[in-house]
Amino acid sequence: DCTTPQQQFPKSANPEPLKSNEKRINIKAANGKFLCADENKDLVVYANRDEAQGWETFTFSDIGHNMCQIRNPSSLFFSALLNNKSELAANANRASDWETFTVVKADDTHIAFKAANGKFLSLDTISLQLIANADTIIGKNEKFELIEK
């Protein structure tokens, strides 16, 4: 879970070999914390980890045309839950529209992710959750740094 540091991939995860369009990454949010899909909180994605270890390591798939999909260590896809406050969770077995994000270059070191609802993923600075609710302007809380493993 996201409250207990892990030195390796979770026991439930058996990382598959990477395909040519994939890379293992950590994602750092605007608050300087790493993203984690918390198993104790329905796999909702939070930016609340000081260090990136097993639970904070994801598989980033470049599917072309500036589009991507992201899987957690248990191979579940990040999904913008558009019927549940547009929060981000890593709970989908298959990728469809809600699990596909447009990658937008924000600056030289950061990107932004646009969800299927046309809104950018944004860090809620109070709950530390990621939510697909930011409009067209990419501000500080919509910028993410990808760190390749």
mmCIF file of all heavy atoms in Angstrom, residues 63-116:
data_model
loop_
_atom_site.group_PDB
_atom_site.id
_atom_site.type_symbol
_atom_site.label_atom_id
_atom_site.label_comp_id
_atom_site.label_asym_id
_atom_site.label_seq_id
_atom_site.Cartn_x
_atom_site.Cartn_y
_atom_site.Cartn_z
ATOM 1 N N ILE A 63 1.126 4.766 -27.157
ATOM 2 C CA ILE A 63 0.292 4.099 -28.155
ATOM 3 C C ILE A 63 0.151 4.934 -29.429
ATOM 4 O O ILE A 63 -0.686 4.651 -30.277
ATOM 5 C CB ILE A 63 -1.089 3.709 -27.582
ATOM 6 C CG1 ILE A 63 -1.864 4.924 -27.086
ATOM 7 C CG2 ILE A 63 -0.924 2.687 -26.466
ATOM 8 C CD1 ILE A 63 -3.301 4.604 -26.727
ATOM 9 N N GLY A 64 0.998 5.948 -29.578
ATOM 10 C CA GLY A 64 1.031 6.763 -30.788
ATOM 11 C C GLY A 64 0.107 7.960 -30.720
ATOM 12 O O GLY A 64 -0.794 8.033 -29.892
ATOM 13 N N HIS A 65 0.351 8.925 -31.608
ATOM 14 C CA HIS A 65 -0.468 10.139 -31.729
ATOM 15 C C HIS A 65 -0.571 10.895 -30.408
ATOM 16 O O HIS A 65 -1.632 11.414 -30.051
ATOM 17 C CB HIS A 65 -1.866 9.811 -32.266
ATOM 18 C CG HIS A 65 -1.840 9.045 -33.546
ATOM 19 N ND1 HIS A 65 -1.509 9.612 -34.749
ATOM 20 C CD2 HIS A 65 -2.079 7.728 -33.801
ATOM 21 C CE1 HIS A 65 -1.548 8.700 -35.697
ATOM 22 N NE2 HIS A 65 -1.887 7.548 -35.157
ATOM 23 N N ASN A 66 0.547 10.952 -29.645
ATOM 24 C CA ASN A 66 0.601 11.632 -28.343
ATOM 25 C C ASN A 66 -0.368 11.039 -27.330
ATOM 26 O O ASN A 66 -0.846 11.740 -26.432
ATOM 27 C CB ASN A 66 0.363 13.140 -28.488
ATOM 28 C CG ASN A 66 1.469 13.811 -29.263
ATOM 29 O OD1 ASN A 66 2.633 13.459 -29.127
ATOM 30 N ND2 ASN A 66 1.119 14.758 -30.098
ATOM 31 N N MET A 67 -0.665 9.764 -27.455
ATOM 32 C CA MET A 67 -1.570 9.078 -26.533
ATOM 33 C C MET A 67 -0.788 8.049 -25.724
ATOM 34 O O MET A 67 0.182 7.476 -26.215
ATOM 35 C CB MET A 67 -2.692 8.379 -27.299
ATOM 36 C CG MET A 67 -3.473 9.285 -28.244
ATOM 37 S SD MET A 67 -4.464 10.489 -27.389
ATOM 38 C CE MET A 67 -5.902 9.529 -27.070
ATOM 39 N N CYS A 68 -1.244 7.826 -24.486
ATOM 40 C CA CYS A 68 -0.582 6.842 -23.641
ATOM 41 C C CYS A 68 -1.586 6.120 -22.756
ATOM 42 O O CYS A 68 -2.720 6.562 -22.581
ATOM 43 C CB CYS A 68 0.493 7.501 -22.777
ATOM 44 S SG CYS A 68 -0.158 8.414 -21.362
ATOM 45 N N GLN A 69 -1.113 5.017 -22.216
ATOM 46 C CA GLN A 69 -1.829 4.278 -21.181
ATOM 47 C C GLN A 69 -0.802 3.956 -20.109
ATOM 48 O O GLN A 69 0.380 3.774 -20.408
ATOM 49 C CB GLN A 69 -2.453 3.007 -21.752
ATOM 50 C CG GLN A 69 -3.524 3.334 -22.763
ATOM 51 C CD GLN A 69 -3.885 2.171 -23.661
ATOM 52 O OE1 GLN A 69 -3.140 1.220 -23.814
ATOM 53 N NE2 GLN A 69 -5.054 2.259 -24.284
ATOM 54 N N ILE A 70 -1.248 3.894 -18.850
ATOM 55 C CA ILE A 70 -0.340 3.660 -17.724
ATOM 56 C C ILE A 70 -0.903 2.524 -16.888
ATOM 57 O O ILE A 70 -2.098 2.509 -16.568
ATOM 58 C CB ILE A 70 -0.185 4.935 -16.873
ATOM 59 C CG1 ILE A 70 0.337 6.087 -17.744
ATOM 60 C CG2 ILE A 70 0.752 4.683 -15.686
ATOM 61 C CD1 ILE A 70 0.306 7.442 -17.076
ATOM 62 N N ARG A 71 -0.033 1.574 -16.534
ATOM 63 C CA ARG A 71 -0.435 0.441 -15.701
ATOM 64 C C ARG A 71 0.316 0.484 -14.380
ATOM 65 O O ARG A 71 1.481 0.849 -14.319
ATOM 66 C CB ARG A 71 -0.149 -0.888 -16.410
ATOM 67 C CG ARG A 71 -0.998 -1.100 -17.639
ATOM 68 C CD ARG A 71 -0.901 -2.512 -18.210
ATOM 69 N NE ARG A 71 0.401 -3.121 -18.187
ATOM 70 C CZ ARG A 71 1.311 -3.022 -19.147
ATOM 71 N NH1 ARG A 71 1.068 -2.293 -20.209
ATOM 72 N NH2 ARG A 71 2.454 -3.658 -19.050
ATOM 73 N N ASN A 72 -0.373 0.039 -13.327
ATOM 74 C CA ASN A 72 0.248 -0.052 -12.011
ATOM 75 C C ASN A 72 1.068 -1.341 -11.926
ATOM 76 O O ASN A 72 1.086 -2.131 -12.868
ATOM 77 C CB ASN A 72 -0.801 0.081 -10.898
ATOM 78 C CG ASN A 72 -1.639 -1.174 -10.705
ATOM 79 O OD1 ASN A 72 -1.510 -2.172 -11.395
ATOM 80 N ND2 ASN A 72 -2.536 -1.112 -9.741
ATOM 81 N N PRO A 73 1.763 -1.606 -10.810
ATOM 82 C CA PRO A 73 2.586 -2.813 -10.708
ATOM 83 C C PRO A 73 1.806 -4.122 -10.835
ATOM 84 O O PRO A 73 2.389 -5.156 -11.149
ATOM 85 C CB PRO A 73 3.224 -2.699 -9.323
ATOM 86 C CG PRO A 73 3.244 -1.251 -9.036
ATOM 87 C CD PRO A 73 1.985 -0.718 -9.667
ATOM 88 N N SER A 74 0.503 -4.083 -10.618
ATOM 89 C CA SER A 74 -0.331 -5.278 -10.775
ATOM 90 C C SER A 74 -0.969 -5.360 -12.157
ATOM 91 O O SER A 74 -1.904 -6.118 -12.380
ATOM 92 C CB SER A 74 -1.425 -5.302 -9.701
ATOM 93 O OG SER A 74 -0.843 -5.360 -8.426
ATOM 94 N N SER A 75 -0.476 -4.530 -13.091
ATOM 95 C CA SER A 75 -0.924 -4.482 -14.490
ATOM 96 C C SER A 75 -2.344 -3.967 -14.668
ATOM 97 O O SER A 75 -2.974 -4.215 -15.696
ATOM 98 C CB SER A 75 -0.766 -5.849 -15.177
ATOM 99 O OG SER A 75 0.611 -6.132 -15.299
ATOM 100 N N LEU A 76 -2.873 -3.223 -13.705
ATOM 101 C CA LEU A 76 -4.171 -2.568 -13.862
ATOM 102 C C LEU A 76 -3.949 -1.169 -14.432
ATOM 103 O O LEU A 76 -3.011 -0.466 -14.035
ATOM 104 C CB LEU A 76 -4.899 -2.494 -12.523
ATOM 105 C CG LEU A 76 -5.287 -3.839 -11.913
ATOM 106 C CD1 LEU A 76 -5.829 -3.653 -10.507
ATOM 107 C CD2 LEU A 76 -6.302 -4.556 -12.792
ATOM 108 N N PHE A 77 -4.813 -0.766 -15.341
ATOM 109 C CA PHE A 77 -4.663 0.519 -16.028
ATOM 110 C C PHE A 77 -5.170 1.683 -15.180
ATOM 111 O O PHE A 77 -6.175 1.564 -14.483
ATOM 112 C CB PHE A 77 -5.450 0.505 -17.346
ATOM 113 C CG PHE A 77 -4.839 -0.370 -18.396
ATOM 114 C CD1 PHE A 77 -5.228 -1.688 -18.511
ATOM 115 C CD2 PHE A 77 -3.881 0.124 -19.269
ATOM 116 C CE1 PHE A 77 -4.675 -2.516 -19.478
ATOM 117 C CE2 PHE A 77 -3.324 -0.688 -20.243
ATOM 118 C CZ PHE A 77 -3.724 -2.016 -20.345
ATOM 119 N N PHE A 78 -4.456 2.810 -15.297
ATOM 120 C CA PHE A 78 -4.966 4.062 -14.752
ATOM 121 C C PHE A 78 -6.254 4.376 -15.498
ATOM 122 O O PHE A 78 -6.313 4.254 -16.723
ATOM 123 C CB PHE A 78 -3.986 5.203 -15.001
ATOM 124 C CG PHE A 78 -2.865 5.323 -14.017
ATOM 125 C CD1 PHE A 78 -2.325 4.229 -13.367
ATOM 126 C CD2 PHE A 78 -2.321 6.560 -13.752
ATOM 127 C CE1 PHE A 78 -1.280 4.358 -12.475
ATOM 128 C CE2 PHE A 78 -1.271 6.706 -12.859
ATOM 129 C CZ PHE A 78 -0.748 5.611 -12.220
ATOM 130 N N SER A 79 -7.266 4.827 -14.788
ATOM 131 C CA SER A 79 -8.549 5.158 -15.383
ATOM 132 C C SER A 79 -9.084 6.440 -14.756
ATOM 133 O O SER A 79 -9.100 6.565 -13.532
ATOM 134 C CB SER A 79 -9.539 4.010 -15.147
ATOM 135 O OG SER A 79 -10.788 4.309 -15.724
ATOM 136 N N ALA A 80 -9.505 7.372 -15.599
ATOM 137 C CA ALA A 80 -10.181 8.567 -15.106
ATOM 138 C C ALA A 80 -11.643 8.180 -14.908
ATOM 139 O O ALA A 80 -12.367 7.965 -15.871
ATOM 140 C CB ALA A 80 -10.045 9.712 -16.093
ATOM 141 N N LEU A 81 -12.057 8.048 -13.671
ATOM 142 C CA LEU A 81 -13.402 7.574 -13.346
ATOM 143 C C LEU A 81 -14.398 8.711 -13.542
ATOM 144 O O LEU A 81 -14.769 9.411 -12.597
ATOM 145 C CB LEU A 81 -13.435 7.026 -11.922
ATOM 146 C CG LEU A 81 -12.418 5.914 -11.646
ATOM 147 C CD1 LEU A 81 -12.443 5.503 -10.184
ATOM 148 C CD2 LEU A 81 -12.682 4.722 -12.546
ATOM 149 N N LEU A 82 -14.820 8.879 -14.782
ATOM 150 C CA LEU A 82 -15.632 10.030 -15.148
ATOM 151 C C LEU A 82 -17.009 10.006 -14.522
ATOM 152 O O LEU A 82 -17.679 11.028 -14.456
ATOM 153 C CB LEU A 82 -15.722 10.135 -16.672
ATOM 154 C CG LEU A 82 -14.344 10.237 -17.369
ATOM 155 C CD1 LEU A 82 -14.522 10.343 -18.870
ATOM 156 C CD2 LEU A 82 -13.526 11.389 -16.823
ATOM 157 N N ASN A 83 -17.427 8.856 -14.013
ATOM 158 C CA ASN A 83 -18.720 8.779 -13.323
ATOM 159 C C ASN A 83 -18.543 8.834 -11.806
ATOM 160 O O ASN A 83 -19.489 8.652 -11.064
ATOM 161 C CB ASN A 83 -19.463 7.495 -13.719
ATOM 162 C CG ASN A 83 -18.668 6.247 -13.368
ATOM 163 O OD1 ASN A 83 -17.515 6.332 -12.967
ATOM 164 N ND2 ASN A 83 -19.277 5.091 -13.537
ATOM 165 N N ASN A 84 -17.326 9.086 -11.342
ATOM 166 C CA ASN A 84 -17.051 9.155 -9.904
ATOM 167 C C ASN A 84 -16.106 10.322 -9.619
ATOM 168 O O ASN A 84 -14.931 10.131 -9.325
ATOM 169 C CB ASN A 84 -16.455 7.836 -9.403
ATOM 170 C CG ASN A 84 -16.361 7.792 -7.885
ATOM 171 O OD1 ASN A 84 -17.048 8.542 -7.201
ATOM 172 N ND2 ASN A 84 -15.508 6.936 -7.372
ATOM 173 N N LYS A 85 -16.607 11.527 -9.754
ATOM 174 C CA LYS A 85 -15.857 12.752 -9.464
ATOM 175 C C LYS A 85 -14.612 12.925 -10.333
ATOM 176 O O LYS A 85 -13.738 13.707 -10.019
ATOM 177 C CB LYS A 85 -15.468 12.825 -7.985
ATOM 178 C CG LYS A 85 -16.645 12.832 -7.036
ATOM 179 C CD LYS A 85 -16.160 12.894 -5.602
ATOM 180 C CE LYS A 85 -15.864 11.481 -5.151
ATOM 181 N NZ LYS A 85 -15.507 11.367 -3.754
ATOM 182 N N SER A 86 -14.496 12.136 -11.402
ATOM 183 C CA SER A 86 -13.358 12.195 -12.325
ATOM 184 C C SER A 86 -12.026 11.920 -11.643
ATOM 185 O O SER A 86 -10.980 12.361 -12.103
ATOM 186 C CB SER A 86 -13.325 13.540 -13.070
ATOM 187 O OG SER A 86 -14.475 13.678 -13.865
ATOM 188 N N GLU A 87 -12.069 11.167 -10.523
ATOM 189 C CA GLU A 87 -10.819 10.836 -9.853
ATOM 190 C C GLU A 87 -10.056 9.787 -10.649
ATOM 191 O O GLU A 87 -10.631 9.039 -11.435
ATOM 192 C CB GLU A 87 -11.069 10.355 -8.421
ATOM 193 C CG GLU A 87 -11.828 9.055 -8.312
ATOM 194 C CD GLU A 87 -12.186 8.693 -6.873
ATOM 195 O OE1 GLU A 87 -11.987 9.504 -5.961
ATOM 196 O OE2 GLU A 87 -12.689 7.586 -6.683
ATOM 197 N N LEU A 88 -8.752 9.745 -10.436
ATOM 198 C CA LEU A 88 -7.898 8.797 -11.116
ATOM 199 C C LEU A 88 -7.687 7.588 -10.215
ATOM 200 O O LEU A 88 -7.336 7.733 -9.046
ATOM 201 C CB LEU A 88 -6.553 9.438 -11.454
ATOM 202 C CG LEU A 88 -5.607 8.604 -12.314
ATOM 203 C CD1 LEU A 88 -6.155 8.458 -13.728
ATOM 204 C CD2 LEU A 88 -4.230 9.240 -12.353
ATOM 205 N N ALA A 89 -7.915 6.399 -10.770
ATOM 206 C CA ALA A 89 -7.669 5.156 -10.037
ATOM 207 C C ALA A 89 -6.976 4.184 -10.981
ATOM 208 O O ALA A 89 -7.110 4.284 -12.198
ATOM 209 C CB ALA A 89 -8.977 4.557 -9.519
ATOM 210 N N ALA A 90 -6.229 3.254 -10.420
ATOM 211 C CA ALA A 90 -5.542 2.227 -11.218
ATOM 212 C C ALA A 90 -6.270 0.918 -11.006
ATOM 213 O O ALA A 90 -5.818 0.044 -10.281
ATOM 214 C CB ALA A 90 -4.085 2.129 -10.805
ATOM 215 N N ASN A 91 -7.441 0.786 -11.628
ATOM 216 C CA ASN A 91 -8.308 -0.357 -11.328
ATOM 217 C C ASN A 91 -8.929 -1.029 -12.543
ATOM 218 O O ASN A 91 -9.798 -1.882 -12.396
ATOM 219 C CB ASN A 91 -9.415 0.088 -10.368
ATOM 220 C CG ASN A 91 -10.322 1.131 -10.976
ATOM 221 O OD1 ASN A 91 -10.142 1.542 -12.117
ATOM 222 N ND2 ASN A 91 -11.299 1.580 -10.205
ATOM 223 N N ALA A 92 -8.505 -0.684 -13.740
ATOM 224 C CA ALA A 92 -9.125 -1.228 -14.952
ATOM 225 C C ALA A 92 -8.321 -2.406 -15.499
ATOM 226 O O ALA A 92 -7.104 -2.319 -15.645
ATOM 227 C CB ALA A 92 -9.247 -0.148 -16.013
ATOM 228 N N ASN A 93 -9.026 -3.485 -15.804
ATOM 229 C CA ASN A 93 -8.380 -4.659 -16.375
ATOM 230 C C ASN A 93 -8.025 -4.484 -17.848
ATOM 231 O O ASN A 93 -7.094 -5.100 -18.335
ATOM 232 C CB ASN A 93 -9.285 -5.890 -16.232
ATOM 233 C CG ASN A 93 -9.381 -6.335 -14.798
ATOM 234 O OD1 ASN A 93 -8.382 -6.459 -14.113
ATOM 235 N ND2 ASN A 93 -10.596 -6.559 -14.332
ATOM 236 N N ARG A 94 -8.804 -3.660 -18.549
ATOM 237 C CA ARG A 94 -8.587 -3.413 -19.969
ATOM 238 C C ARG A 94 -8.578 -1.914 -20.226
ATOM 239 O O ARG A 94 -9.198 -1.158 -19.493
ATOM 240 C CB ARG A 94 -9.685 -4.053 -20.805
ATOM 241 C CG ARG A 94 -9.555 -5.552 -20.904
ATOM 242 C CD ARG A 94 -10.623 -6.114 -21.768
ATOM 243 N NE ARG A 94 -11.847 -6.148 -20.950
ATOM 244 C CZ ARG A 94 -12.950 -6.758 -21.289
ATOM 245 N NH1 ARG A 94 -13.033 -7.349 -22.441
ATOM 246 N NH2 ARG A 94 -13.991 -6.778 -20.496
ATOM 247 N N ALA A 95 -7.903 -1.533 -21.300
ATOM 248 C CA ALA A 95 -7.823 -0.120 -21.653
ATOM 249 C C ALA A 95 -8.872 0.232 -22.698
ATOM 250 O O ALA A 95 -9.036 -0.471 -23.684
ATOM 251 C CB ALA A 95 -6.441 0.218 -22.168
ATOM 252 N N SER A 96 -9.587 1.310 -22.443
ATOM 253 C CA SER A 96 -10.552 1.873 -23.382
ATOM 254 C C SER A 96 -10.368 3.397 -23.328
ATOM 255 O O SER A 96 -9.292 3.869 -22.980
ATOM 256 C CB SER A 96 -11.960 1.448 -22.984
ATOM 257 O OG SER A 96 -12.875 1.822 -23.988
ATOM 258 N N ASP A 97 -11.401 4.149 -23.620
ATOM 259 C CA ASP A 97 -11.280 5.613 -23.648
ATOM 260 C C ASP A 97 -10.870 6.195 -22.292
ATOM 261 O O ASP A 97 -10.018 7.079 -22.232
ATOM 262 C CB ASP A 97 -12.590 6.256 -24.094
ATOM 263 C CG ASP A 97 -12.897 5.997 -25.556
ATOM 264 O OD1 ASP A 97 -11.999 5.547 -26.298
ATOM 265 O OD2 ASP A 97 -14.053 6.219 -25.958
ATOM 266 N N TRP A 98 -11.474 5.727 -21.213
ATOM 267 C CA TRP A 98 -11.202 6.304 -19.900
ATOM 268 C C TRP A 98 -9.788 5.989 -19.414
ATOM 269 O O TRP A 98 -9.283 6.617 -18.501
ATOM 270 C CB TRP A 98 -12.213 5.810 -18.870
ATOM 271 C CG TRP A 98 -13.603 6.355 -19.045
ATOM 272 C CD1 TRP A 98 -14.087 7.079 -20.099
ATOM 273 C CD2 TRP A 98 -14.684 6.215 -18.133
ATOM 274 N NE1 TRP A 98 -15.404 7.390 -19.900
ATOM 275 C CE2 TRP A 98 -15.805 6.870 -18.699
ATOM 276 C CE3 TRP A 98 -14.817 5.600 -16.898
ATOM 277 C CZ2 TRP A 98 -17.034 6.928 -18.059
ATOM 278 C CZ3 TRP A 98 -16.058 5.651 -16.276
ATOM 279 C CH2 TRP A 98 -17.144 6.310 -16.842
ATOM 280 N N GLU A 99 -9.144 5.014 -20.036
ATOM 281 C CA GLU A 99 -7.797 4.596 -19.646
ATOM 282 C C GLU A 99 -6.724 5.101 -20.612
ATOM 283 O O GLU A 99 -5.570 4.716 -20.531
ATOM 284 C CB GLU A 99 -7.724 3.062 -19.566
ATOM 285 C CG GLU A 99 -8.583 2.467 -18.483
ATOM 286 C CD GLU A 99 -10.061 2.430 -18.819
ATOM 287 O OE1 GLU A 99 -10.411 2.234 -20.002
ATOM 288 O OE2 GLU A 99 -10.884 2.617 -17.896
ATOM 289 N N THR A 100 -7.120 5.958 -21.523
ATOM 290 C CA THR A 100 -6.201 6.501 -22.525
ATOM 291 C C THR A 100 -6.099 8.007 -22.317
ATOM 292 O O THR A 100 -7.106 8.692 -22.166
ATOM 293 C CB THR A 100 -6.707 6.171 -23.943
ATOM 294 O OG1 THR A 100 -6.814 4.745 -24.059
ATOM 295 C CG2 THR A 100 -5.754 6.688 -25.000
ATOM 296 N N PHE A 101 -4.868 8.498 -22.315
ATOM 297 C CA PHE A 101 -4.607 9.902 -22.028
ATOM 298 C C PHE A 101 -3.792 10.529 -23.154
ATOM 299 O O PHE A 101 -2.910 9.889 -23.722
ATOM 300 C CB PHE A 101 -3.840 10.045 -20.704
ATOM 301 C CG PHE A 101 -4.586 9.458 -19.546
ATOM 302 C CD1 PHE A 101 -4.407 8.130 -19.188
ATOM 303 C CD2 PHE A 101 -5.501 10.209 -18.835
ATOM 304 C CE1 PHE A 101 -5.111 7.560 -18.135
ATOM 305 C CE2 PHE A 101 -6.216 9.661 -17.780
ATOM 306 C CZ PHE A 101 -6.016 8.334 -17.436
ATOM 307 N N THR A 102 -4.100 11.781 -23.446
ATOM 308 C CA THR A 102 -3.296 12.564 -24.383
ATOM 309 C C THR A 102 -2.156 13.191 -23.591
ATOM 310 O O THR A 102 -2.376 13.776 -22.531
ATOM 311 C CB THR A 102 -4.144 13.663 -25.040
ATOM 312 O OG1 THR A 102 -5.248 13.049 -25.714
ATOM 313 C CG2 THR A 102 -3.329 14.470 -26.037
ATOM 314 N N VAL A 103 -0.950 13.054 -24.111
ATOM 315 C CA VAL A 103 0.236 13.621 -23.465
ATOM 316 C C VAL A 103 0.516 14.973 -24.115
ATOM 317 O O VAL A 103 0.637 15.078 -25.333
ATOM 318 C CB VAL A 103 1.457 12.690 -23.631
ATOM 319 C CG1 VAL A 103 2.698 13.314 -23.006
ATOM 320 C CG2 VAL A 103 1.169 11.329 -23.022
ATOM 321 N N VAL A 104 0.612 16.005 -23.281
ATOM 322 C CA VAL A 104 0.884 17.362 -23.751
ATOM 323 C C VAL A 104 2.153 17.847 -23.072
ATOM 324 O O VAL A 104 2.274 17.790 -21.841
ATOM 325 C CB VAL A 104 -0.294 18.313 -23.417
ATOM 326 C CG1 VAL A 104 0.009 19.728 -23.859
ATOM 327 C CG2 VAL A 104 -1.583 17.806 -24.036
ATOM 328 N N LYS A 105 3.116 18.316 -23.873
ATOM 329 C CA LYS A 105 4.353 18.860 -23.300
ATOM 330 C C LYS A 105 4.028 20.187 -22.616
ATOM 331 O O LYS A 105 3.517 21.116 -23.247
ATOM 332 C CB LYS A 105 5.401 19.050 -24.390
ATOM 333 C CG LYS A 105 6.725 19.506 -23.854
ATOM 334 C CD LYS A 105 7.782 19.577 -24.938
ATOM 335 C CE LYS A 105 9.081 20.065 -24.323
ATOM 336 N NZ LYS A 105 10.155 20.118 -25.307
ATOM 337 N N ALA A 106 4.312 20.270 -21.319
ATOM 338 C CA ALA A 106 4.015 21.485 -20.550
ATOM 339 C C ALA A 106 5.200 22.453 -20.562
ATOM 340 O O ALA A 106 5.022 23.664 -20.640
ATOM 341 C CB ALA A 106 3.638 21.120 -19.123
ATOM 342 N N ASP A 107 6.404 21.910 -20.444
ATOM 343 C CA ASP A 107 7.639 22.678 -20.521
ATOM 344 C C ASP A 107 8.771 21.692 -20.785
ATOM 345 O O ASP A 107 8.512 20.531 -21.114
ATOM 346 C CB ASP A 107 7.863 23.552 -19.276
ATOM 347 C CG ASP A 107 7.937 22.759 -17.978
ATOM 348 O OD1 ASP A 107 8.499 21.645 -17.960
ATOM 349 O OD2 ASP A 107 7.435 23.261 -16.957
ATOM 350 N N ASP A 108 10.012 22.112 -20.616
ATOM 351 C CA ASP A 108 11.145 21.243 -20.958
ATOM 352 C C ASP A 108 11.230 19.976 -20.119
ATOM 353 O O ASP A 108 11.795 18.976 -20.564
ATOM 354 C CB ASP A 108 12.466 22.012 -20.829
ATOM 355 C CG ASP A 108 12.639 23.036 -21.943
ATOM 356 O OD1 ASP A 108 11.968 22.891 -22.992
ATOM 357 O OD2 ASP A 108 13.443 23.961 -21.772
ATOM 358 N N THR A 109 10.689 19.978 -18.907
ATOM 359 C CA THR A 109 10.842 18.816 -18.022
ATOM 360 C C THR A 109 9.516 18.219 -17.553
ATOM 361 O O THR A 109 9.527 17.235 -16.825
ATOM 362 C CB THR A 109 11.684 19.183 -16.780
ATOM 363 O OG1 THR A 109 11.063 20.270 -16.103
ATOM 364 C CG2 THR A 109 13.102 19.555 -17.173
ATOM 365 N N HIS A 110 8.388 18.792 -17.954
ATOM 366 C CA HIS A 110 7.092 18.331 -17.467
ATOM 367 C C HIS A 110 6.111 18.072 -18.612
ATOM 368 O O HIS A 110 6.194 18.704 -19.665
ATOM 369 C CB HIS A 110 6.474 19.361 -16.524
ATOM 370 C CG HIS A 110 7.267 19.578 -15.295
ATOM 371 N ND1 HIS A 110 8.259 20.533 -15.214
ATOM 372 C CD2 HIS A 110 7.237 18.965 -14.101
ATOM 373 C CE1 HIS A 110 8.801 20.496 -14.006
ATOM 374 N NE2 HIS A 110 8.201 19.550 -13.313
ATOM 375 N N ILE A 111 5.182 17.158 -18.331
ATOM 376 C CA ILE A 111 4.091 16.905 -19.264
ATOM 377 C C ILE A 111 2.774 17.043 -18.505
ATOM 378 O O ILE A 111 2.752 17.091 -17.269
ATOM 379 C CB ILE A 111 4.182 15.513 -19.914
ATOM 380 C CG1 ILE A 111 4.054 14.408 -18.864
ATOM 381 C CG2 ILE A 111 5.452 15.372 -20.728
ATOM 382 C CD1 ILE A 111 3.894 13.025 -19.458
ATOM 383 N N ALA A 112 1.703 17.096 -19.263
ATOM 384 C CA ALA A 112 0.355 17.083 -18.699
ATOM 385 C C ALA A 112 -0.399 15.942 -19.380
ATOM 386 O O ALA A 112 -0.061 15.536 -20.497
ATOM 387 C CB ALA A 112 -0.341 18.417 -18.946
ATOM 388 N N PHE A 113 -1.389 15.413 -18.671
ATOM 389 C CA PHE A 113 -2.211 14.319 -19.191
ATOM 390 C C PHE A 113 -3.646 14.803 -19.357
ATOM 391 O O PHE A 113 -4.251 15.272 -18.394
ATOM 392 C CB PHE A 113 -2.222 13.138 -18.211
ATOM 393 C CG PHE A 113 -0.887 12.491 -17.994
ATOM 394 C CD1 PHE A 113 -0.134 12.797 -16.864
ATOM 395 C CD2 PHE A 113 -0.389 11.556 -18.895
ATOM 396 C CE1 PHE A 113 1.089 12.189 -16.644
ATOM 397 C CE2 PHE A 113 0.831 10.936 -18.682
ATOM 398 C CZ PHE A 113 1.577 11.256 -17.549
ATOM 399 N N LYS A 114 -4.183 14.673 -20.578
ATOM 400 C CA LYS A 114 -5.576 15.038 -20.821
ATOM 401 C C LYS A 114 -6.403 13.752 -20.871
ATOM 402 O O LYS A 114 -6.077 12.822 -21.608
ATOM 403 C CB LYS A 114 -5.726 15.817 -22.123
ATOM 404 C CG LYS A 114 -7.135 16.354 -22.334
ATOM 405 C CD LYS A 114 -7.282 17.090 -23.643
ATOM 406 C CE LYS A 114 -6.766 18.497 -23.509
ATOM 407 N NZ LYS A 114 -7.118 19.331 -24.708
ATOM 408 N N ALA A 115 -7.470 13.710 -20.077
ATOM 409 C CA ALA A 115 -8.344 12.534 -19.992
ATOM 410 C C ALA A 115 -9.416 12.575 -21.079
ATOM 411 O O ALA A 115 -9.549 13.553 -21.814
ATOM 412 C CB ALA A 115 -8.987 12.484 -18.603
ATOM 413 N N ALA A 116 -10.207 11.511 -21.144
ATOM 414 C CA ALA A 116 -11.255 11.368 -22.166
ATOM 415 C C ALA A 116 -12.334 12.442 -22.069
ATOM 416 O O ALA A 116 -13.027 12.708 -23.046
ATOM 417 C CB ALA A 116 -11.888 9.982 -22.065
#
